[in-house]
Amino acid sequence: MQNNISTVLKNLGVLDLNPAFSTGSNWGASANAKTIDSLSPVDGKKIASVQLATAEDYEAVVKKAEEAFIFWRSLPAPKRGDIVRQFGDALRLHKEDLGTLVSYEMGKSLQEGFGEVQEMIDICDFAVGLSRQLYGLTMHSERPNHRMYEQWHPMGIVGIISAFNFPVAVWSWNTALAWVCGNVCIWKPSSKTPLCGVACQHIIATVLKNNDMPEGISNLLIGNAVGDLINNDKRIPLVSFTGSTRIGRVVSSAVAGRFGRSILELGGNNAIIISKDADIDMSIIGAVFGAVGTAGQRCTSTRRLIIHEDIYEDFKNKLTKAYGQLRIGDPLDQHNHVGPLIDTAAVDMYTHAIEKGKKEGAKFIVEGGVLNGNPYQSGFYVKPCVAEVENHYEIVQEETFAPILYLIKYKTLDQAISLQNGVPQGLSSAIMTLNLREAEQFLSVAGSDCGIANVNIGTSGAEIGGAFGGEKETGGGRESGSDAWKAYMRRQTNTINYSNTLPLAQGIKFDL
Ligand code: NAD
């Protein structure tokens, strides 16, 4: 893979770049910049090192972004959309290389790496259309000869802080919409996947340069310290944060403390209810893919199965059999189902969760464990495992970002829905049933409390056309499709008086 990855980096044009920041055409780092190594979880080898942005680098980037905003906000939205269209075209050309880098640097399967880039392309297409549809309403004024309407203006600089598990797609969900809305963006990718960040920035920087756009429309800053600078910077009116609930709490209180706005896309604890009226074969595939895909490192990964008591034993046996067929190994080898976790800290969290679960009473029907030796030399490969638990166990209430699946039995649908909702997080949920009444109850106001509720589809993954995000400790943010664009703009209500008097609202009289 090492030879192959050098070619991939070369094709992406990032081999000779070793930046701490980029404002578009300007790439750089202070003389005293420290570096971090990007290690592949696939084989534990160093891919490259990247410099870390300093406070001076940060200042230089924010200044460029402020200048660029003045230009970019005045460009007609469809013209901004055309730049995004060209970005989508550039991504089509780089899909194979960027997808391969995502797979090698993050550890997800090659198919999922390509899928992530496809998601970027799809959101660009969506944003291009949106650039001609940033509609505001008109309202009837209560006063004669007055006109009232609302319009949407860009916010300014949007700070995007992203997680390691979707190293490219989450940025593009945010940035493609933010750009057509007239904002400029500063991206701080996860320090676990910095090269994906450099590659994406290189692709958009080339598009911007080919269009003679000024520096500062798309900016990249590498390093954990940048997060706090963004949180506390009044020049950044909107922060879109994707990551753990723990860090999300820090970000949201810092941003709210300065009356900034945030979009929070935090942890999930997603369940599938398996009804006695479910299509069992479909349910097994949905459950296994949801639990072990991306090695359980998706915010929408299936963590809990809530199974009807009448089919519980049968389903458990079929699930155990399916787990027996899983192939764990190099995610770039398309025969494997399960790749590695991201790093040592993730492996420690996985083993800790298993130990804690056992202490609380979890009964493992498929045992876990860390895999070592060839071909698992990175030390980050673990066995997907399954345990019978009760929903109130502390470990079941938490999100463990690893392939651990919990089984819970239920009697009535009311009870199943209450178990599904009985966790602090509220991202994705699903019911597998062929019974219309059950499906509708699950989707009703008394049903799932999550941002995403599916019928006969698992919890994992989503299409870009819908608004994506979740409730409760998942943070309440929405990104991607539907009218999620409104979060990137400020609404202004305008009232115009074209009469020759000045009537006041609510009929108030004020004569001089
Ligand atoms: P994380 O919270 O550890 O890190 C996320 C980002 O925050 C990284 O870029 C990190 O460098 C940065 N960061 C760290 N400290 C910061 C601070 N004080 N201020 C600002 N930024 C800071 O998360 P992770 O391990 O990279 O990703 C996994 C988590 O992300 C899981 O909980 C997963 O559910 C969640 N996630 C949620 C969604 C969603 O859409 N809801 C999508 C992907 C991942």
Side-chain angles (χ1 to χ4, degrees), residues 98-222:
L98 188 57
T100 306
L101 177 60
V102 167
S103 176
Y104 189 58
E105 192 178 35
M106 185 275 154
K108 62 177 62 177
S109 76
L110 199 56
Q111 280 303 315
E112 290 177 284
F114 294 154
E116 234 197 285
V117 183
Q118 186 57 47
E119 227 171 277
M120 301 175 81
I121 295 167
D122 294 343
I123 197 73
C124 285
D125 287 353
F126 183 89
V128 175
L130 188 63
S131 70
R132 293 177 185 267
Q133 298 174 75
L134 301 170
Y135 301 137
L137 294 172
T138 61
M139 302 89 176
H140 286 265
S141 169
E142 64 191 40
R143 288 169 277 185
N145 295 334
H146 280 57
R147 187 162 73 83
M148 222 174 142
Y149 75 110
E150 67 184 17
Q151 54 179 340
W152 295 85
H153 291 307
M155 305 273 299
I157 305 176
V158 176
I160 302 168
I161 302 175
S162 58
F164 78 86
N165 65 325
F166 276 90
V168 295
V170 164
W171 168 69
S172 60
W173 288 1
N174 280 282
T175 207
L177 295 201
W179 283 331
V180 295
C181 290
N183 302 290
V184 297
C185 298
I186 296 180
W187 180 23
K188 191 212 91 56
S190 167
S191 299
K192 295 172 187 179
T193 51
L195 295 173
C196 285
V198 176
C200 288
Q201 174 69 1
H202 190 51
I203 295 169
I204 183 63
T206 309
V207 171
L208 290 166
K209 204 167 162 207
N210 290 344
N211 284 275
D212 291 325
M213 290 290 130
E215 277 181 63
I217 294 164
S218 176
N219 304 277
L220 174 82
L221 280 156
I222 311 267

Side-chain angles (χ1 to χ4, degrees), residues 267-272 290 298-306 399 405-406 420 423 425-430 450 452 459-460 474:
N269 190 347
N270 319 297
I272 305 179
R298 284 186 182 213
C299 51
T300 53
S301 289
T302 308
R303 312 260 171 233
R304 298 174 295 143
L305 292 184
I306 303 169
E399 178 198 51
L405 181 62
Y406 299 122
Q420 124 74 35
V423 289
Q425 310 81 356
L427 181 53
S428 185
S429 60
C450 290
I452 297 167
T459 61
S460 181
T474 304

Side-chain angles (χ1 to χ4, degrees), residues 7 49 81 200 204-205 338 414 482:
T7 314
S49 51
C200 288
I204 183 63
V338 187
D414 282 344
S482 183

Side-chain angles (χ1 to χ4, degrees), residues 215-346:
E215 277 181 63
I217 294 164
S218 176
N219 304 277
L220 174 82
L221 280 156
I222 311 267
N224 284 345
V226 174
D228 270 329
L229 294 172
I230 291 177
N231 299 343
N232 295 303
D233 193 336
K234 282 192 171 172
R235 294 168 295 181
I236 303 188
L238 173 63
V239 178
S240 177
F241 175 83
T242 302
S244 60
T245 297
R246 187 176 67 82
I247 306 286
R249 202 167 262 130
V250 175
V251 174
S252 77
S253 50
V255 176
R258 60 176 174 83
F259 294 104
R261 205 192 275 178
S262 47
I263 299 173
L264 300 171
E265 299 283 348
L266 314 179
N269 190 347
N270 319 297
I272 305 179
I273 297 173
I274 317 275
S275 148
K276 64 177 174 356
D277 292 327
D279 177 322
I280 299 298
D281 290 345
M282 238 165 75
S283 305
I284 291 281
I285 295 174
V288 177
F289 173 73
V292 312
T294 331
Q297 299 172 109
R298 284 186 182 213
C299 51
T300 53
S301 289
T302 308
R303 312 260 171 233
R304 298 174 295 143
L305 292 184
I306 303 169
I307 309 167
H308 193 275
E309 59 180 5
D310 288 0
I311 54 158
Y312 185 85
E313 287 305 320
D314 181 42
F315 195 86
K316 192 172 98 177
N317 292 336
K318 288 192 165 126
L319 189 72
T320 312
K321 206 168 150 205
Y323 266 65
Q325 291 164 11
L326 289 176
R327 284 185 300 271
I328 307 166
D330 183 346
L332 289 120
D333 176 344
Q334 306 213 35
H335 292 102
N336 291 324
H337 300 106
V338 187
L341 293 178
I342 185 72
D343 59 11
T344 314

Side-chain angles (χ1 to χ4, degrees), residues 414-443:
D414 282 344
Q415 186 198 6
I417 291 172
S418 148
L419 288 165
Q420 124 74 35
N421 291 345
V423 289
Q425 310 81 356
L427 181 53
S428 185
S429 60
I431 187 167
M432 304 302 271
T433 185
L434 302 177
N435 179 324
L436 181 68
R437 285 191 182 142
E438 285 191 333
E440 291 292 336
Q441 186 180 339
F442 177 72
L443 300 177

